[in-house]
Amino acid sequence: MNIIYRNYQPGDEVQLAELFNLCFHQSGVGFLRTPRGLKYRYVKRPNFSPNEIQIAEDTHKKLIVGAVFSTLEEIFLDGKQLLSGSINDVAVHPNYIKIGIAKTLMIQALTFLKQQKCELSTLAADPKGHARLKLYIPLGWRDYSSIRVWISPNINFFRYLPLLSPLLFLFIPFYFYSKLKMRKIKKKMKDHGIHGSIIHPSTVGFNHSSSHNSFRNFYNKIGKQQRNGKILISDQEWKHFRKQNIRSGLKPTFIALYKKERIIGFASFLCQWIYFDKLGFKFPLATIREWGVDHSITSNAQENSQIYNFLLDLIREAALQRKCVTVLFGLTDQFSYFSRILKKKKFISTSGGVLMINNISPRNKQSGKIFKPFIMDIGEMFLHP
């Protein structure tokens, strides 16, 4: 075999999609990668450079056998703005493992990030995986925070009535209890002058600049106040990822909470299909992308919790309307307060990996505690590099 290393070229997305589906579906479960989706997520995103994608190719077979994506992004760490490289989609063809391809690709990705003057790099990994121990740690990445994925089954009772009929005695009380509790929460919010709005892709009259701008500005504001990580979304990024979508599943649903026409809470989710290859079926998930509440409008923790509960109930309601059977949040374990709320709302948590950070620049050696929790893209938690 003759392996060469190069960067992305137009048309590579076809073989890259095949490589990722082969590598990331070996457990029998995963999201389907398509050439069109890869171009949308990476190649057509604002400020993309072909040098962000490192590729290994077997020139004899004209086959892409390995890849690493190193996306440049501005992040924040406790008020300090840094240029970071987000490592994603580390993959090597099963027939080409243990010959140093992954290590070479990662070294090239690091070299590229240093050339761009990145101060650090992030990735999500399987804490028990071979790659974390044998590849990422030796190259300088260190564990920063555990990641939990929070799951809420969200089945439409009446739609699945024939299947659930043997368990009616369990589901009927739960269904009416949930409806009654939601009604009480809505009334309590109304008494406080708070109301919610669900905006689906099909909502008439929504797709105009003022609404999108107010959502983006609100999310950026609470991001700077409450979080670390990729907390600021540029106008170009919002336009690409939230307005100009390539297919229906990538068109977001927005949930907004208002008090006297002022936004005080916000969330968005995409409706994405997860595939169970060995069982031969798929089902749609509501994957939460942006979320948050303005803590400044509440006077105590109880009020704050009630607003989060209202937002979560509206998310579930919106997900049902889009026929998503599960709602997914991905959080680093630093979001302890919100995690407790999710637990009380009967969300189930499972391991989503570990967030790792590599301090590339000697000027950026982190010391001491990072005080704000680190927010991550949920996609990285299911697609461990």
Side-chain angles (χ1 to χ4, degrees):
M1 65 181 69
N2 184 31
I3 307 298
I4 65 165
Y5 296 91
R6 60 176 177 82
N7 298 118
Y8 169 83
Q9 298 171 2
D12 282 341
E13 58 273 2
V14 175
Q15 286 198 36
L16 286 171
E18 294 173 353
L19 175 68
F20 294 148
N21 288 329
L22 176 65
C23 294
F24 299 145
H25 282 237
Q26 293 192 42
S27 65
V29 182
F31 295 103
L32 182 67
R33 305 302 190 91
T34 66
R36 190 182 181 198
L38 287 175
K39 285 188 71 173
Y40 169 76
R41 182 180 177 187
Y42 293 112
V43 179
K44 292 188 176 181
R45 56 179 278 274
N47 304 316
F48 167 76
S49 166
N51 295 330
E52 293 179 347
I53 302 178
Q54 317 297 325
I55 286 175
E57 181 183 1
D58 184 338
T59 55
H60 286 166
K61 295 184 179 180
K62 297 183 179 180
L63 178 68
I64 292 177
V65 297
V68 172
F69 287 48
S70 48
T71 306
L72 299 176
E73 58 185 19
E74 297 284 346
I75 72 166
F76 281 76
L77 281 180
D78 287 339
K80 183 180 179 183
Q81 188 171 0
L82 307 170
L83 181 61
S84 173
S86 175
I87 300 294
N88 296 288
D89 295 337
V90 180
V92 175
H93 193 287
N95 295 339
Y96 291 78
I97 60 174
K98 296 184 179 180
I99 58 173
I101 290 177
K103 183 176 181 180
T104 301
L105 289 170
M106 289 295 292
I107 290 173
Q108 289 188 338
L110 269 176
T111 300
F112 166 70
L113 296 180
K114 290 175 181 178
Q115 290 171 348
Q116 301 302 307
K117 300 189 179 348
C118 289
E119 296 185 74
L120 56 81
S121 173
T122 62
L123 60 81
D126 181 347
K128 298 179 181 179
H130 176 85
R132 172 184 167 274
L133 184 63
K134 299 297 183 179
L135 183 62
Y136 305 143
I137 291 177
L139 289 176
W141 276 270
R142 297 292 180 265
D143 293 348
Y144 175 76
S145 175
S146 296
I147 302 167
R148 303 295 295 177
V149 176
W150 292 85
I151 304 167
S152 173
N154 205 47
I155 299 174
N156 186 316
F157 176 80
F158 292 104
R159 185 182 180 196
Y160 295 95
L161 188 59
L163 295 175
L164 300 175
S165 54
L167 301 173
L168 284 178
F169 69 96
L170 292 175
F171 281 95
I172 288 178
F174 175 76
Y175 174 78
F176 285 106
Y177 171 76
S178 300
K179 286 292 183 182
L180 180 62
K181 196 169 183 180
M182 176 65 172
R183 190 170 294 179
K184 285 183 177 180
I185 291 175
K186 283 185 175 180
K187 184 179 184 304
K188 187 174 287 187
M189 292 295 101
K190 187 176 180 180
D191 292 342
H192 286 84
I194 297 171
H195 68 278
S197 179
I198 297 173
I199 304 104
H200 291 300
S202 58
T203 302
V204 177
F206 165 72
N207 194 19
H208 52 84
S209 298
S210 59
S211 295
H212 274 288
N213 285 340
S214 53
F215 291 159
R216 183 179 69 87
N217 291 338
F218 174 80
Y219 182 74
N220 286 347
K221 181 186 78 170
I222 62 169
K224 289 188 72 173
Q225 293 173 348
Q226 303 172 12
R227 301 166 181 173
N228 284 314
K230 174 65 176 171
I231 58 175
L232 295 183
I233 304 176
S234 70
D235 183 58
Q236 284 183 313
E237 290 170 326
W238 188 276
K239 184 178 180 180
H240 177 70
F241 289 110
R242 295 295 173 262
K243 293 176 72 173
Q244 296 178 348
N245 313 107
I246 62 169
R247 54 186 170 85
S248 59
L250 293 178
K251 294 179 180 178
T253 287
F254 298 109
I255 299 94
L257 303 184
Y258 296 90
K259 186 172 185 178
K260 295 181 179 179
E261 307 309 316
R262 171 190 169 190
I263 299 177
I264 62 167
F266 173 73
S268 73
F269 68 80
L270 306 181
C271 185
Q272 298 177 280
W273 291 90
I274 188 167
Y275 290 78
F276 292 78
D277 303 326
K278 295 179 181 178
L279 299 176
F281 73 89
K282 63 179 181 177
F283 63 79
L285 310 176
T287 55
I288 308 300
R289 307 317 293 253
E290 293 90 27
W291 60 273
V293 167
D294 185 352
H295 296 170
S296 68
I297 56 97
T298 58
S299 57
N300 55 60
Q302 184 178 3
E303 288 182 7
N304 207 36
S305 178
Q306 288 173 351
I307 293 174
Y308 273 115
N309 274 287
F310 187 33
L311 182 63
L312 287 170
D313 284 334
L314 289 179
I315 289 172
R316 282 172 164 165
E317 184 178 327
L320 276 178
Q321 292 170 4
R322 286 194 72 173
K323 300 179 181 178
C324 295
V325 300
T326 304
V327 176
L328 274 79
F329 276 90
L331 306 172
T332 55
D333 60 8
Q334 299 163 325
F335 284 94
S336 55
Y337 173 73
F338 188 52
S339 295
R340 289 194 296 270
I341 293 174
L342 290 173
K343 190 173 183 179
K344 288 181 180 179
K345 296 293 285 185
K346 309 303 180 187
F347 276 72
I348 304 164
S349 75
T350 184
S351 174
V354 59
L355 169 64
M356 304 185 76
I357 289 181
N358 187 337
N359 285 297
I360 298 173
S361 170
R363 298 172 301 170
N364 188 52
K365 294 298 181 184
Q366 294 295 329
S367 59
K369 182 179 179 182
I370 301 297
F371 293 97
K372 295 179 183 177
F374 202 102
I375 191 103
M376 285 195 70
D377 184 337
I378 194 170
E380 297 176 16
M381 298 165 203
F382 287 96
L383 306 170
H384 297 313

